[in-house]
Amino acid sequence: MNLHQFRFVQEAVRRNLNLTETAKALHTSQPGISKAILELEGELGIDIFARHGKRLKRITEPGQQVLSAIEIIMREVGNLKRIGEEYSQQDAGTLSIATTHTQARYVLPGPVAALRKRHPKVAISLHQGTPEQVAQMLIDETAEVGLATESLSDFEALVTLPCYDWQHVVVLPLNHPLAAHERLNLEQLAQEPLISYHPSFTGRTRVDQAFATRGLKPNIVLEAIDSDVIKTYVRLGLGVGIVAEMAVRDDPACAPGGDLVTRPAGQLFGNNVARLAFKRGAYLRNFVYGFAELLSDRLTRDLITRALQGDAESYEL
């Protein structure tokens, strides 16, 4: 048996057992993949896949165990490559970060700039997507580090650590009647057209839960993934905005003399926790630990190492 066979099995599962798509992804031929998988099954003495004619239909029970073993083998092969890269290049290479738009726009610039200053030979590759896409990029090893608020802890293949807490704020035009109130309540907001994040982004789940708990139905008239887009439509008078606090912190439009007013909403929607994620069992290069420490003083090399090794107590602080 060989790594090519393992890679073919792994990719076939990722491509929903479609060997045509598997062959395209691996830049090889479909008959070659079929033959390699059959040879592996013959050597193991089991069927990894149940078939209908030449098509793969499902993973068999022993096939599930084989797939788990292959995932471990391929992960460790990747770790071997990273060890070689670290000791041959030291503080050089590429750090791939998967994150959402809000984190990329408002949180990461400072830590990324500091990392580049500390390690000038390290290039940064940013991949933006939904929290679910962030998780999948980590699982597929497209990225080494993931950062998001929603969903990352739902994936068994990932280790996640709390990075920092944040709250929502309400954004209003200067002349809006609610701007006269220093503190708002959910009943007031439920009577307004609201503009906020798409349900899978930036703590929107907590917003929906808060209204539902009070038996209120918010009138969401526009959803976006970009905080600046939300603020633009608030400015145009389409509704009241609910955004992450980091999206207004350094915005002149939300400062005294600007054309927008902000009001705290932590008392309404509670704390959100941004989480840093890694693929379980991954080998991290030195500058990856350095980046995590720049991102949050909660994150230390020892804490991350213990989490990657399966110390459940280290997952929460």
Side-chain angles (χ1 to χ4, degrees), residues 4-312:
H4 287 300
Q5 293 169 326
F6 298 159
R7 191 171 291 112
F8 292 163
V9 170
Q10 190 178 53
E11 192 64 31
V13 173
R14 288 177 180 171
R15 303 288 167 176
N16 296 316
L17 310 187
N18 186 320
L19 291 185
T20 300
E21 294 299 320
T22 302
K24 288 180 181 178
L26 297 176
H27 307 290
T28 188
S29 68
Q30 181 177 334
I33 290 178
S34 297
K35 181 181 178 182
I37 293 176
L38 286 170
E39 288 175 348
L40 178 59
E41 289 177 322
E43 186 168 353
L44 295 176
I46 59 170
D47 289 335
I48 299 173
F49 300 104
R51 293 170 172 79
H52 181 73
K54 294 184 178 181
R55 292 187 177 183
L56 306 185
K57 299 301 291 182
R58 60 179 175 82
I59 307 171
T60 64
E61 184 175 345
Q64 293 284 2
Q65 297 185 44
V66 170
L67 181 63
S68 296
I70 287 175
E71 293 283 352
I72 294 171
I73 292 168
M74 298 308 292
R75 183 179 69 210
E76 292 306 319
V77 169
N79 287 343
L80 286 173
K81 292 179 180 178
R82 293 188 185 97
I83 292 170
E85 289 173 357
E86 177 172 341
Y87 283 92
S88 63
Q89 301 181 29
Q90 294 299 324
D91 291 331
T94 299
L95 173 58
S96 295
I97 305 169
T99 189
T100 59
H101 175 86
T102 299
Q103 306 291 347
R105 169 69 175 80
Y106 299 105
V107 178
L108 289 181
V112 165
L115 181 71
R116 286 280 299 140
K117 186 175 182 180
R118 184 181 295 181
H119 301 287
K121 294 181 180 179
V122 174
I124 308 295
S125 178
L126 281 179
H127 306 270
Q128 295 183 49
T130 66
E132 290 77 12
Q133 289 170 334
V134 169
Q136 195 59 51
M137 283 187 273
L138 290 171
I139 293 169
D140 293 343
E141 299 185 357
T142 303
E144 286 181 87
V145 180
L147 179 64
T149 298
E150 306 274 10
S151 304
L152 292 185
S153 58
D154 297 337
F155 291 82
E156 182 63 28
L158 302 181
V159 170
T160 71
L161 291 163
C163 189
Y164 63 89
D165 299 338
W166 62 271
Q167 297 179 343
H168 287 97
V169 297
V170 175
V171 182
L172 305 153
L174 272 177
N175 59 356
H176 195 283
L178 291 183
H181 300 263
E182 287 300 319
R183 294 178 70 86
L184 304 174
N185 58 52
L186 290 174
E187 285 75 14
Q188 289 172 314
L189 293 180
Q191 297 176 28
E192 300 289 334
L194 300 177
I195 305 171
S196 193
Y197 299 106
H198 184 274
S200 61
F201 283 86
T202 321
R204 170 65 188 277
T205 301
R206 283 192 174 273
V207 173
D208 292 342
Q209 288 175 344
F211 282 109
T213 299
R214 296 290 288 271
L216 300 170
K217 186 176 181 180
N219 178 23
I220 305 290
V221 297
L222 191 149
E223 297 173 337
I225 65 173
D226 186 330
S227 304
D228 291 332
V229 170
I230 293 173
K231 288 183 284 184
T232 295
Y233 284 99
V234 169
R235 190 176 286 110
L236 292 173
L238 266 70
V240 171
I242 302 173
V243 300
E245 61 183 351
M246 51 272 204
V248 304
R249 191 175 297 142
D250 298 318
D251 187 348
C254 300
D259 61 351
L260 295 175
V261 173
T262 64
R263 294 292 179 260
Q267 78 281 7
L268 303 179
F269 306 122
N271 281 333
N272 297 272
V273 181
R275 302 186 72 87
L276 198 68
F278 307 94
K279 188 172 182 180
R280 190 176 299 278
Y283 174 84
L284 303 182
R285 293 167 290 178
N286 282 330
F287 58 75
V288 180
Y289 289 106
F291 171 73
E293 291 170 349
L294 287 168
L295 190 61
S296 170
D297 57 9
R298 294 183 180 183
L299 301 170
T300 64
R301 186 186 186 105
D302 179 64
L303 174 66
I304 296 169
T305 300
R306 285 189 287 124
L308 290 172
Q309 293 174 347
D311 177 6

